[in-house]
Amino acid sequence: MLAEIDILNRQEFIDKIISTVEYHSKNNLKASFSIQGEWGCGKSWILDRVFENLYDIQDEQIAGGRYCVFRYNAWKYDYYDEPLVSLLISLKEQLESENSIILKTPEAQKNYQAVKLMIKEKLLDTLDVIQKNPLFSIIDSQTFHIPSLFCFGASVKKEFEKYKDKVKEEIRQYDPHYDLNQLMNSMIKGLNQISSEKTVVVIVDELDRCLPEHAIKVLERMHHISQNVNNIQFIYGIDKTQIENNVVQIFLSNNSNVKIQRERINQYLSKFITFGLHVPKTKYTDAIERKYPDLFETFTQVNVCNFNLIENIQLISSAVTPRILEQAISKIVLTNGVLNQNCEKLDNSILVFELFFAVLREVGKGLGGRYFKNDYNNHSLELRNTDNDTFNDIYNKLILPNPVMYGHIQRSKDDYPLWTDFDNGNKAIFPSAMVFYFEKIMQLRNFYFDDKEIQKEMENNVEYLKQFISYYVSLDM
């Protein structure tokens, strides 16, 4: 599946997470740790692979593998006020859906089927709350147990039901959390039955997308479970900064002392999360071409001599997170699909400029305010702006074959022929095209090609790029 293609070479980090889980499991230790990274860095993708990898681990002494792994998207179910209910409903939906879990190996599939049966028998079948009422209507079977021989008549049963309702109502008057306590106790009992045979791993994702009050409530509920269930591990996918902001908003909004805030945030969160593993910053691999085939479909070498397209795509992609890159690519594919419905082949250099423009746009920046600084004496040409941000550095790497350029650049009344290594003159067409596209789109007339045929082809490319930019901008919300 395309979604599983690793374009950031993250297997080493996934292995580190697996090793951490394995260490705690083999030493019968509880664990509660986080996978930390900014929004859109790929935490969910990593956690999906962890889920798959854990089910693929065999153990000769434990039938059906060592692990029972739950996946809980806290944000998806945050319309349930009580996280315990949403956790169970999430689990129930996963077990009932044939398409929710896709595992690669027969061993992993076999292990998962064994775990499904165990969860159903030891946990879900004991929780009638899911089937009868998605909120709290739990009957404590032990409190209200009565031998079946006493319930031989319909009238007796009816009176007994009234008695149960009366007793439960009286309990609620003194304990408003009675139903919640019953649900928690039932869950703990079922999870302990499972954890006596397998290590339970609960993967909690999208916590930082929840409203602050709900995010904190999820942490509190999971903490209660972890304190009362043996052989269990919690893995949270979080943006730590966002979670810390939630704590400040709820508990520390009246305290402006940054040092005190920091100390209390750490004290509070350390109850739930013992340590964190940070998602590493890695480079995009050439697998990006396999993951996004639609992006490259209509592009080829047309009028710019051959250059390494994938290297340039990787270079531009490195400036943004996987989620932002995916947003940009989806809009690029849509825009080109609308503008080029006849699927005419376009030059690869157009795609490079499109992606540069798109990622700029997605992070709230643009081409405006940028310009080329030409140092004729030192044979250098650089994109600049007042901030001199990382995107200038990227574009300057695209035109890096300085001093091998191809054409002329005009400044004021002077016309400078750009330096050309004649042995490699053709290689200079791509970086020259990048200069030409920028200058023309910014309505400057400073750069032109000596070769009139190339000049005409590049002008046609610019016209297409202008249409692309106009449509792409219109896609903004």
Side-chain angles (χ1 to χ4, degrees), residues 423-449:
D423 293 335
N424 297 307
N426 286 336
K427 293 183 180 180
I429 296 180
F430 168 71
S432 299
M434 291 296 102
V435 176
F436 185 79
Y437 295 161
F438 178 87
E439 295 255 304
K440 289 294 184 180
I441 287 168
M442 297 302 291
Q443 298 182 334
L444 303 172
R445 302 180 181 276
N446 299 319
F447 187 91
Y448 65 91
F449 290 90

Side-chain angles (χ1 to χ4, degrees), residues 134-365:
L135 294 173
F136 303 114
S137 60
I138 299 175
I139 298 176
D140 185 344
S141 58
Q142 293 183 352
T143 302
F144 299 113
H145 176 70
I146 183 170
S148 59
L149 61 92
F150 290 130
C151 295
F152 55 87
S155 61
V156 175
K157 292 181 180 179
K158 184 176 181 180
E159 289 301 316
F160 180 64
E161 292 297 328
K162 289 182 180 179
Y163 169 73
K164 286 196 299 184
D165 290 340
K166 181 180 178 181
V167 172
K168 287 171 63 179
E169 188 59 38
E170 289 177 355
I171 292 174
R172 288 191 184 95
Q173 290 179 7
Y174 294 100
D175 182 5
H177 301 296
Y178 168 76
D179 292 321
L180 179 59
N181 289 334
Q182 298 306 306
L183 176 59
M184 177 67 80
N185 291 336
S186 296
M187 285 189 66
I188 289 172
K189 179 180 178 181
L191 287 170
N192 270 317
Q193 289 178 352
I194 296 172
S195 66
S196 66
E197 300 180 34
K198 297 178 183 293
T199 296
V200 175
V201 179
V202 183
I203 297 175
V204 183
D205 196 15
E206 303 287 12
L207 190 61
D208 40 36
R209 296 180 69 183
C210 298
L211 292 174
E213 292 81 1
H214 190 76
I216 296 301
K217 189 183 288 188
V218 170
L219 285 173
E220 295 279 3
R221 295 293 185 269
M222 299 305 109
H223 179 63
H224 285 307
I225 293 174
S226 68
Q227 293 300 296
N228 294 282
V229 177
N230 298 316
N231 196 22
I232 191 169
Q233 300 184 39
F234 284 85
I235 307 175
Y236 297 94
I238 63 169
D239 178 341
K240 186 179 179 182
T241 301
Q242 183 58 50
I243 295 298
E244 290 176 343
N245 290 339
N246 291 345
V247 175
V248 171
Q249 183 174 336
I250 295 173
F251 301 114
L252 302 172
S253 58
N254 294 327
N255 192 324
S256 59
N257 188 306
V258 176
K259 183 178 179 180
I260 294 177
Q261 280 190 356
R262 174 58 54 190
E263 291 175 353
R264 292 183 179 176
I265 287 170
N266 291 336
Q267 289 173 358
Y268 181 76
L269 291 180
S270 64
K271 292 196 309 179
F272 314 115
I273 301 172
T274 309
F275 62 91
L277 299 175
H278 292 264
V279 177
K281 180 73 173 177
T282 55
K283 295 181 179 179
Y284 287 90
T285 70
D286 56 10
I288 198 168
E289 187 174 14
R290 290 188 290 114
K291 181 156 187 170
Y292 302 110
D294 292 348
L295 179 67
F296 300 90
E297 189 174 17
T298 57
F299 292 94
T300 187
Q301 178 185 335
V302 177
N303 45 37
V304 171
C305 288
N306 191 32
F307 64 96
N308 195 318
L309 173 64
I310 301 303
E311 280 188 4
N312 286 309
I313 296 296
Q314 290 172 273
L315 172 64
I316 298 170
S317 302
S318 67
V320 293
T321 64
R323 186 169 295 176
I324 291 176
L325 177 63
E326 194 154 289
Q327 290 173 350
I329 288 176
S330 66
K331 291 181 182 180
I332 291 172
V333 171
L334 170 60
T335 303
N336 286 323
V338 170
L339 298 180
N340 187 22
Q341 298 192 32
N342 294 328
C343 296
E344 296 179 8
K345 292 299 181 181
L346 302 172
D347 192 74
N348 286 334
S349 62
I350 294 176
L351 177 57
V352 174
F353 193 89
E354 286 181 351
L355 185 62
F356 180 78
F357 174 83
V359 297
L360 267 179
R361 189 79 185 176
E362 294 302 318
V363 298
K365 296 179 180 289

